Amino acid sequence: MGVALSITAFPVLARILAELKLLTTQLGEIATAAAALNDVAAWILLALAVALADSNTGGHKNPLISVWVLLSGATFVTFMFVIMRPAMKWVACRCVPQQDAVDEAYICLTLAGVLVSGFITDLIGIHSIFGAFVFSLAIQKERTFLFW
């Protein structure tokens, strides 16, 4: 219960900082980064708690399921930053806007990556939003890849 309550209302925090014109300041960047790290840690702990609770159903306890979720989640995050981040950087370099429009193939590739990442984390036993969030971190925040 404590893990679930510790998750930050990230959009609310960003909206408050934007309305106070603090979002682009150093304080706003620190608050946003801290909230993002807090959310990642809380989602991982929540996934472990759910996996442990699921392992206690059926009359037998199997704590190895929570170890599986932890190791698989760490492998997924490592894969996203070691393999997918350079791949998405390559995609961003090839994505040259033509007349203020981006090729639909790059948009489809990005959306497919979000969906596949969510599906993989759902298979692992972590909520699918965590996979989409990690994939969004793998996308380069360069001007050439911002298409909306």
Side-chain angles (χ1 to χ4, degrees):
M1 184 79 131
V3 171
L5 292 175
S6 70
I7 296 175
T8 309
F10 194 79
V12 175
L13 174 68
R15 178 85 175 185
I16 290 170
L17 290 172
E19 286 184 12
L20 294 174
K21 297 188 183 2
L22 294 174
L23 191 59
T24 57
T25 65
Q26 185 179 7
L27 177 66
E29 290 174 357
I30 291 172
T32 306
L37 288 174
N38 181 37
D39 278 2
V40 169
W43 278 109
I44 291 170
L45 290 173
L46 188 60
L48 288 174
V50 169
L52 191 58
D54 286 345
S55 69
N56 289 333
T57 59
H60 65 283
K61 295 181 179 182
N62 190 359
L64 293 178
I65 292 176
S66 59
V67 173
W68 157 256
V69 170
L70 179 66
L71 293 178
S72 299
T75 304
F76 173 75
V77 170
T78 303
F79 172 79
M80 292 303 287
F81 283 103
V82 172
I83 305 295
M84 287 305 294
R85 189 170 181 93
M88 291 308 292
K89 185 175 183 178
W90 179 80
V91 168
C93 290
R94 294 191 42 103
C95 179
V96 178
Q98 300 168 353
Q99 300 172 350
D100 292 335
V102 175
D103 190 8
E104 291 87 10
Y106 298 115
I107 296 172
C108 290
L109 179 69
T110 304
L111 292 177
V114 169
L115 292 174
V116 168
S117 296
F119 180 71
I120 290 171
T121 53
D122 192 47
L123 286 178
I124 290 171
I126 304 172
H127 199 280
S128 58
I129 192 105
F130 180 73
F133 178 72
V134 171
F135 185 81
S136 73
L137 294 176
I139 294 176
Q140 296 294 314
K141 305 301 186 274
E142 297 173 0
R143 194 78 177 141
T144 58
F145 203 60
L146 300 175
F147 32 79
W148 50 73

